[in-house]
């Protein structure tokens, strides 16, 4: 059974079918443009694990991946940490016919850009993510990144964006640099360390969190890691979807 529980209304979906992409796109639509909007999409087990055996796929499900694709279909850019690129085997975003008209009406390109955050640029630039994307991959790095790695990235076709001093990428500056390039509908898919940096820098506007009905124990990371904030920030529940015990929640900054 599938249900959609918006905070303001109750609209049941087809019990035997699946949510349409149009319904999901409407449910997860970005707010009207007023500067950049950064949302995160993460999955967690009941006991707080953001991954199993180093990957998020084992704690996910088909509908979670459908929402994952919808969120990508709405975004201008997908922001992801270098470690997640390595662990999850990231590939370029692809153009999807289901979102073509919606993206064209919003003035977006055929597919979102992938923006990789890396201070060291310790990445394999021969991967398809860098050499054959539909939209050039962006590399967000610090001014002190190794010159030879910057040159290698550019030779591969990536656009290098300086968004911090030394080897550190400043989360607030990263968001502003992307917005300056017209990329205001932003989606981050982790990993946990990078999401923690966005939370600590107070630049996260929305969290799309899938709660997986699984228990893993162990010592897997939470969805956000790193230094804690001085005062926990309160977010408001915007909507909840449910399927087979999975809860697909959406929280927005108050």
């Amino acid at each position: 059974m599938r249900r959609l529980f918006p905070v303001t209304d109750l609209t049941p979906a087809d019990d035997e079918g699946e949510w349409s992409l149009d319904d999901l796109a409407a449910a997860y639509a970005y707010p009207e443009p007023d500067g950049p909007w950064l949302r995160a999409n993460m999955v967690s087990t009941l006991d707080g694990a953001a991954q199993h055996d180093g990957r998020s796929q084992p704690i996910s499900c088909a509908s979670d991946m459908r929402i994952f694709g919808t969120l990508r279909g709405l975004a201008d850019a997908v922001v992801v940490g270098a470690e997640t690129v390595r662990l999850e085997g990231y590939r370029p975003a692809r153009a999807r016919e289901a979102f073509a008209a919606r993206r064209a009406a919003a003035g977006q390109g055929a597919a979102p850009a992938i923006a990789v955050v890396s201070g060291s640029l310790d990445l394999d630039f021969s991967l398809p993510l860098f050499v054959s994307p539909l939209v050039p991959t962006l590399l967000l790095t610090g001014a002190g990144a190794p010159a030879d790695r910057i040159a290698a990235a550019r030779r591969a076709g990536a656009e290098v964006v300086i968004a911090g001093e030394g080897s550190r990428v400043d989360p607030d500056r990263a968001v502003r640099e992307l917005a300056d390039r017209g990329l205001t509908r932003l989606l981050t898919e982790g990993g946990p360390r990078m999401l923690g940096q966005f939370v600590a820098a107070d630049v996260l506007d929305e969290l799309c969190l899938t709660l997986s009905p699984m228990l893993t124990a162990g010592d897997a990371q939470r969805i956000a890691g790193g230094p804690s904030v001085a005062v926990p920030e309160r977010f408001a529940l915007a909507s909840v979807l449910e399927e087979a015990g999975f809860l697909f929640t959406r929280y927005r900054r108050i």
Side-chain angles (χ1 to χ4, degrees):
M1 181 176 292
R2 297 174 172 88
R3 295 190 179 92
L4 168 64
F5 297 91
V7 170
T8 57
D9 194 11
L10 172 63
T11 306
D14 182 354
D15 286 352
E16 301 303 323
E18 59 186 9
W19 296 300
S20 74
L21 291 179
D22 282 341
D23 285 344
L24 289 176
Y28 285 93
Y30 280 84
E32 289 299 314
D34 184 24
W37 183 269
L38 175 64
R39 66 169 31 146
N41 182 34
M42 301 292 284
V43 59
S44 171
T45 63
L46 295 176
D47 52 348
Q51 54 192 222
H52 183 65
D53 287 340
R55 301 182 66 241
S56 59
Q57 188 276 333
I59 62 173
S60 182
C61 67
S63 289
D64 185 41
M65 296 310 298
R66 190 170 177 82
I67 292 171
F68 174 95
T70 298
L71 295 179
R72 280 197 165 199
L74 299 174
D76 294 331
V78 178
V79 188
V80 62
E83 185 65 14
T84 298
V85 168
R86 290 187 285 264
L87 289 174
E88 301 280 356
Y90 259 61
R91 299 185 64 84
R94 59 188 177 91
R96 298 182 61 188
E97 182 62 31
F99 294 98
R102 189 180 294 270
R103 291 186 68 86
Q108 296 173 298
I114 304 295
V116 182
V117 177
S118 176
S120 68
L121 299 184
D122 181 18
L123 294 156
D124 182 356
F125 295 128
S126 69
L127 294 175
L129 178 61
F130 301 103
V131 299
S132 59
L134 184 63
V135 180
T137 294
L138 302 171
L139 278 173
L140 296 162
T141 192
D148 61 327
R149 299 306 296 161
I150 291 177
R154 287 173 172 159
R155 284 196 302 270
E159 179 182 348
V160 178
V161 179
I162 302 302
E165 302 304 321
S167 62
R168 180 179 179 274
V169 175
D170 178 70
D172 180 68
R173 183 171 168 183
V175 170
R176 287 187 281 109
E177 290 287 349
L178 292 172
D180 287 346
R181 288 162 172 77
L183 307 174
T184 57
R185 303 173 186 90
L186 303 176
L187 168 68
T188 179
E189 298 168 350
R193 183 171 63 178
M194 194 183 72
L195 178 55
Q197 292 171 351
F198 282 132
V199 171
D202 196 27
V203 295
L204 186 70
D205 299 296
E206 181 178 335
L207 174 63
C208 300
L209 176 65
T210 295
L211 186 62
S212 171
M214 301 181 188
L215 294 168
T216 64
D219 56 0
Q221 288 180 294
R222 302 186 307 158
I223 65 167
S228 63
V229 297
V231 178
E233 184 174 1
R234 182 73 178 267
F235 275 50
L237 181 65
S239 64
V240 181
L241 295 82
E242 185 274 339
E243 181 194 43
F246 283 84
L247 297 179
F248 308 99
T249 70
R250 187 166 57 95
Y251 290 86
R252 288 188 171 187
R253 181 196 298 274
I254 296 176

